[in-house]
């Protein structure tokens, strides 16, 4: 037996049998070649992974194309798919122009890497879908986002069928987006579709059915849903658009025949995506319902068109805070009577829907109370009592400032009686351009059950104007130092309107306030201008 020496100097036995056992025990395949490029040694793992190569094989002509190409090119590594396995080899030079190739089976490593990449891709897809769906506030926007997001990541064609909103609708409406189409298209589903596609009828009925793929290559039920020239469908996945209250509809994901069928991971991803789409659809329906209610409330609370009152000229101006839903706490009303008219202008404390509800209550109370009382001071006292008689008065803790006035025609103009409930004093604009406040006083309405109110009288000569306004006018803050518009600027804005119709006065004040705000947010604004017309 021959021996060799290891680096430390101790003898190392050269036992071919032991060396063979060591090589065959390796988890790597080992191939060695001589100076001519022929294989001289094949260990057990090499025989298992690459059974086509044995001793004497010319490695440059071996059946493993990637390995043969690496030998010819003088490359030191290769990657190959062989017998369903992923192989990776590296080359090391040995003594005497010999070479050794070490080949590993990296199939499992690749599978884990591919699974990680796929999971990252799914996570990124769901994150993008969540962001897009969260921005969709309306039903149609959600359906558009649902179909366009699903293509091409989940399917070649995506069809969303929301549950009909009205029970009377005979057919479900669908929206489809296909890979290559410029935009989604819509249509109505035939009875045959909902009756024959597995799981579709259950999803549309609100059942929490589990999604499941089914082959559709031989079916014609989907022909009306597919774009022209698409050809037959391959596999179809039907999943409900789930929401907290059940299914909001169904999502059909259709793949071409040449694409892989839906595997369990695809089904799970589609289920998660459809659940997010269903939640977004339910949120959009709630938003649409609230927007509808807001529009109804807006219509009921917007100041009415002013009536025609003989011997009286009038104009009103109104803007809600932010000017979005146009629901605010400022209001004005005019009620004609045989001698002239009653008018009211008020400002409810608070903002938003709560203030709007109290505004509606005040206006409804005035509509009723003015039928039994038309004297301003007595009317404001009745209004105060009516607000305290409301069942939730103690919990509400809300009040309003208000001006109530009566206009009585006279041959020489108008006699005006004004009762005040803590509201800014109205301004008298005479024909010669003089602007004079008319102090009224009084306490806010609805603040105290024993509140005290005041009344004053003023006469409007022909051509004179009386402006009642809410504090949103004088408290409008400009962009520079948040300075308020103030009473001085309001009076200055009224001077050019002297002798003009009430509408010109209102327009002039609104322009002045707009210029001062310069796009800044503002509080509710309401104005009512009345006057005695000048002789023709």
């Amino acid at each position: 037996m021959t021996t060799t020496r290891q680096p430390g100097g101790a003898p190392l036995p050269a036992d071919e049998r032991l060396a063979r056992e060591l090589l065959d025990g390796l988890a790597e395949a080992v191939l060695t070649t001589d100076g001519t490029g022929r294989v001289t040694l094949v260990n057990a793992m090499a025989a298992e992974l690459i059974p086509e190569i044995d001793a004497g094989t010319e490695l440059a002509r071996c059946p493993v194309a990637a390995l043969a190409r690496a030998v010819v090119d003088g490359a030191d590594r290769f990657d190959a798919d062989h017998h369903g396995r992923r192989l990776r080899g590296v080359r090391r030079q040995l003594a005497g122009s010999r070479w050794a190739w070490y080949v590993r089976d990296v199939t499992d490593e690749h599978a884990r890497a591919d699974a990680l990449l796929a999971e990252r891709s799914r996570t990124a897809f769901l994150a993008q879908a969540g962001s897009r769906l969260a921005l969709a506030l309306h039903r149609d926007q959600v359906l558009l986002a649902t179909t366009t997001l699903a293509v091409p990541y989940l399917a070649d064609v995506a069809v969303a069928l929301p549950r009909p909103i009205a029970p009377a609708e005979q057919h479900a409406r669908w929206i489809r987006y296909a890979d290559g189409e410029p935009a989604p298209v819509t249509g109505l589903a035939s009875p045959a579709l909902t009756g024959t596609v597995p799981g579709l009828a259950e999803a549309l009925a609100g059942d929490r059915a589990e999604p499941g793929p089914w082959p559709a290559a031989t079916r014609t039920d989907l022909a009306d849903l597919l774009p022209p020239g698409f050809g037959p469908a391959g596999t179809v996945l039907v999943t409900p658009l789930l929401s907290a209250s059940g299914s909001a509809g169904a999502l059909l994901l259709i793949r071409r025949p040449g694409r892989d069928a839906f595997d369990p991971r695809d089904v799970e991803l589609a289920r998660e995506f459809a659940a997010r789409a269903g939640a977004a659809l339910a949120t959009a329906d709630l938003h649409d319902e609230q927007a509808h209610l807001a529009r109804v409330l807006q219509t009921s609370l917007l100041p009415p068109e002013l009536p025609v009152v003989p011997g009286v000229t009038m104009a009103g101006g109104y803007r809600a805070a932010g000017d979005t839903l146009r629901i605010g706490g400022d209001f004005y009303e005019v009620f004609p009577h045989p001698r002239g008219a009653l008018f009211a202008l008020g400002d409810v404390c608070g903002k938003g829907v709560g203030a709007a509800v109290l505004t509606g209550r005040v206006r409804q109370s005035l509509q009723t109370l003015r039928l039994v009382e038309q004297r301003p001071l007595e009317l404001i006292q009745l209004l105060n009592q009516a607000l305290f008689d409301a069942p939730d008065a103690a919990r509400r803790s809300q009040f309003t400032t208000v001006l109530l006035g009566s206009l009585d025609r006279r041959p020489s103009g108008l006699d005006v009686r004004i009762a005040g409930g803590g509201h800014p004093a109205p301004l008298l604009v005479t024909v010669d351009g003089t602007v004079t406040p008319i102090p009224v006083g009084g306490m806010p309405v609805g603040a105290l059950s024993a509140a005290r109110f005041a009344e004053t009288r003023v006469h409007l000569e022909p051509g004179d104007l009386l402006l009642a306004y809410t504090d949103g006018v004088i408290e409008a803050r400009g962009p520079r130092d948040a300075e308020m518009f103030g009473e001085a600027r309001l009076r200055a804005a009224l001077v050019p309107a002297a002798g003009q119709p009430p509408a010109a006065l209102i327009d002039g004040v609104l322009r002045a306030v707009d210029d001062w705000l310069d796009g800044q947010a503002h509080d509710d604004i309401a104005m009512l201008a009345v006057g005695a017309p000048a002789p023709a």
Side-chain angles (χ1 to χ4, degrees):
M1 181 178 69
T2 62
T3 62
T4 59
R5 292 192 175 272
Q6 54 186 339
L12 181 67
D15 188 336
E16 293 183 3
R17 188 173 179 180
L18 175 61
R20 186 71 195 190
E21 289 179 356
L22 292 173
L23 286 172
D24 287 343
L26 294 176
E28 287 183 313
V30 179
L31 302 171
T32 62
T33 60
D34 59 17
T36 66
R38 294 186 177 275
V39 176
T40 57
L41 181 146
V42 178
N43 75 341
M45 182 56 66
E48 179 180 342
L49 293 181
I50 320 172
E52 300 88 349
I53 300 177
D54 53 17
T57 299
E58 186 179 352
L59 207 55
R61 299 177 179 273
C62 73
V64 183
L67 174 57
R69 187 164 52 251
V71 173
V72 172
D73 296 341
D76 290 331
R77 62 182 61 248
F78 76 91
D79 285 277
D81 291 317
H82 192 63
H83 294 313
R85 311 297 293 177
R86 182 75 173 177
L87 305 181
R88 176 172 297 164
V90 295
R91 184 180 70 161
R92 297 287 184 270
Q93 188 170 11
L94 305 176
S97 299
R98 294 176 300 166
W99 295 90
W101 280 96
Y102 302 92
V103 183
R104 290 191 303 119
D105 182 353
V106 294
T107 305
D108 292 340
E109 294 179 22
H110 267 262
R112 287 192 294 269
D114 290 343
L116 179 60
L117 290 176
E119 190 59 34
R120 288 177 177 174
S121 177
R122 293 185 181 98
T123 302
F125 169 74
L126 288 176
Q128 179 191 19
S131 299
R132 284 270 305 275
L133 292 169
L135 296 175
L137 295 180
H138 301 288
R139 186 179 182 87
D140 289 343
Q141 291 176 343
V142 173
L143 295 173
L144 284 172
T146 299
T147 52
T148 54
L149 281 166
V151 175
Y153 189 83
L154 291 175
D156 299 302
V157 178
V159 183
L161 292 96
R163 291 184 64 190
I165 299 177
E169 292 184 17
Q170 297 296 322
H171 305 297
R173 183 174 66 91
W174 54 259
I175 178 170
R176 179 198 73 213
Y177 182 67
D179 192 16
E181 283 191 312
V185 297
T186 60
L188 293 177
S190 65
L193 176 69
T194 56
T196 58
V197 174
L200 181 56
E202 292 80 2
L204 292 176
D207 292 345
R208 290 179 173 268
E210 288 297 323
W214 54 281
T218 60
R219 305 188 65 95
T220 60
D221 304 326
L222 302 175
D224 293 338
L225 294 181
L226 298 176
F230 184 84
T235 55
V236 176
L237 177 64
V238 181
T239 179
L241 297 170
L242 294 176
S243 66
S245 58
S247 175
L251 177 65
L252 274 69
L253 300 174
I254 305 170
R255 290 184 175 179
R256 297 179 184 275
R259 186 170 176 175
D260 291 340
F262 294 96
D263 61 27
R265 292 293 298 161
D266 293 334
V267 174
E268 177 64 21
L269 180 62
R271 184 195 64 80
E272 179 66 25
F273 171 68
R276 299 190 181 198
L281 194 59
T283 301
D285 288 343
L286 179 60
H287 178 273
D288 290 342
E289 181 181 356
Q290 291 176 336
H292 172 71
L293 292 175
R295 287 191 296 269
V296 172
L297 184 60
Q298 167 191 327
T299 302
S300 67
L301 293 178
L302 285 175
E305 183 177 349
L306 293 177
V308 176
V309 180
V312 181
T313 57
M314 292 179 294
Y318 174 81
R319 285 185 186 168
D323 209 21
T324 51
L325 287 178
R326 295 184 58 81
I327 296 177
D330 291 11
F331 67 94
Y332 59 80
E333 291 277 3
V334 175
F335 310 108
H337 59 65
R339 302 181 311 278
L342 285 171
F343 70 86
L345 181 136
D347 182 357
V348 170
C349 76
K351 297 178 181 178
V353 175
V357 170
L358 183 56
T359 300
R361 178 173 296 169
V362 171
R363 292 174 63 184
Q364 291 171 1
S365 298
L366 286 173
Q367 287 276 4
T368 303
L369 294 174
R370 57 101 180 180
L371 298 177
V372 297
E373 180 58 70
Q374 296 183 356
R375 293 172 296 176
L377 184 58
E378 287 75 6
L379 182 56
I380 202 171
Q381 292 170 341
L382 289 175
L383 176 61
N384 187 68
Q385 187 60 46
L387 294 182
F388 269 91
D389 287 343
D392 60 344
R395 299 189 301 273
R396 195 167 16 90
S397 299
Q398 289 182 305
F399 59 87
T400 179
T401 65
V402 68
L403 290 176
L404 290 177
S406 66
L407 305 172
D408 292 315
R409 291 186 299 270
R410 294 290 184 262
S412 60
L414 291 175
D415 283 342
V416 185
R417 294 173 60 186
I418 307 173
H423 200 81
L427 298 174
L428 174 63
V429 184
T430 59
V431 176
D432 62 2
T434 302
V435 180
T436 307
I438 309 298
V440 182
M443 301 174 67
V445 178
L448 297 171
S449 59
R452 295 182 179 182
F453 306 104
E455 184 181 83
T456 190
R457 298 172 184 245
V458 64
H459 180 75
L460 301 185
E461 298 289 344
D464 290 348
L465 295 173
L466 183 71
L467 174 68
Y469 62 92
T470 59
D471 58 12
V473 176
I474 58 176
E475 293 181 0
R477 296 183 181 273
R480 182 179 299 176
D481 301 327
E483 184 181 357
M484 293 193 298
F485 187 69
E487 294 183 9
R489 290 186 180 85
L490 174 59
R491 295 181 189 181
L494 295 177
V495 173
Q500 299 294 317
L505 181 146
I506 296 293
D507 290 343
V509 173
L510 287 176
R511 283 197 302 271
V513 172
D514 284 342
D515 291 343
W516 180 254
L517 287 168
D518 194 22
Q520 300 296 304
H522 60 84
D523 200 356
D524 299 330
I525 292 175
M527 294 183 288
L528 180 65
V530 298

